Amino acid sequence: MVAQEFTVDLNKPLVFQVGHLGEAYEEWVHQPIVSREGPRFFENEFVESLTRTVWWAIPSIWLPVVCYCILKSVRMGHALPEIALMVVSGILIWTLLEYTLHRFLFHIKTKSYWGNTLHYLLHGCHHKHPMDGLRLVFPPAATAILLVPFWNMVLLFASPSITPALFGGGLLGYVMYDCTHYYLHHGHPGNDVPKNLKKYHMNHHFRVQDKGFGITSSLWDRVFGTLPPSKMATKM
């Protein structure tokens, strides 16, 4: 907690403190505090409220958008088997994006003041306080902003009639990701598949933090060789 004569005060808003840790930030942020009560980020009440999101807001807000997008492609003349293929393709693309962002952006190493600050807001806070239930899903306002370039990116590679269903599939993949992520931290799975997925993700948080970047599945960890050691041993 102490580095370069700076001590983080957990009783004060954290966001503008963590940057002062410098090179010690990487070690500090990966020493988790396991508590359901999350820290305060900002002094300002309105800004603070924007950092907190209940998990059910994600499906409530975005599933209607998913349905609208899929129906738009249906109205443009695509048959149901084509629509299903587009949606599944969108979900698969999302899983790759999920893995890529988690591995290369969320776990980027920083040491500058603003680098540490931005990383803490983006993902560091989740590793420091992994059980903070109000910061496990992405705030809808931020998602809405990011969906604009994502739509334009899909439009570059797909026709106008395919884009809505493909985009809807990707958005559905995101909803599945955020809900799964929340469940892995706060749910109590009763059968093997979610139990193993929960163990896989908790392993990433508390044991091998530079491996196991998949959330909804370990597919891309297998493809790119970032399975945690225990998984690799099982695989062999």
Side-chain angles (χ1 to χ4, degrees), residues 90-121:
I91 293 173
L92 185 62
I93 290 168
W94 163 259
T95 63
L96 178 58
L97 185 60
E98 165 196 318
Y99 172 88
T100 303
L101 290 173
H102 193 188
R103 180 179 177 182
F104 296 107
L105 179 60
F106 293 177
H107 280 269
I108 191 172
K109 296 186 185 302
T110 61
K111 59 183 179 180
S112 68
Y113 177 84
W114 287 111
N116 292 347
T117 301
L118 291 174
H119 180 268
Y120 182 79
L121 277 170

Side-chain angles (χ1 to χ4, degrees), residues 53-67 137-138 140 143 171-172 174-180 182:
T53 308
V54 292
W55 74 268
W56 47 262
I58 303 306
S60 299
I61 293 170
W62 298 119
L63 285 182
V65 179
V66 170
C67 293
V137 297
F138 207 60
T143 304
L171 185 56
L172 179 58
Y174 159 71
V175 172
M176 294 165 60
Y177 152 80
D178 245 356
C179 292
T180 299
Y182 184 90

Side-chain angles (χ1 to χ4, degrees), residues 138-229:
F138 207 60
T143 304
I145 293 170
L146 293 174
L147 286 179
V148 175
F150 183 63
W151 170 273
N152 290 327
M153 183 177 69
V154 176
L155 196 57
L156 284 176
F157 299 99
S159 69
S161 65
I162 290 176
T163 293
L166 195 59
F167 176 85
L171 185 56
L172 179 58
Y174 159 71
V175 172
M176 294 165 60
Y177 152 80
D178 245 356
C179 292
T180 299
H181 190 206
Y182 184 90
Y183 181 74
L184 294 182
H185 281 265
H186 290 285
H188 303 284
N191 58 59
D192 288 344
V193 173
K195 271 185 180 179
N196 289 336
L197 198 57
K198 184 180 178 78
K199 288 178 183 177
Y200 184 63
H201 188 57
M202 292 303 106
N203 186 55
H204 168 73
H205 271 281
F206 298 103
R207 184 168 167 264
V208 188
Q209 295 168 338
D210 61 347
K211 296 278 193 287
F213 298 106
I215 305 296
T216 51
S217 83
S218 60
L219 169 64
W220 298 110
D221 283 304
R222 295 177 184 277
V223 171
F224 295 113
T226 53
L227 281 170

Side-chain angles (χ1 to χ4, degrees), residues 35-55:
S35 170
R36 287 179 177 268
E37 184 178 347
R40 188 174 183 89
F41 276 18
F42 297 99
E43 192 70 42
N44 182 277
E45 290 290 345
F46 175 71
V47 177
E48 176 71 9
S49 70
L50 295 178
T51 70
R52 300 175 181 269
T53 308
V54 292
W55 74 268

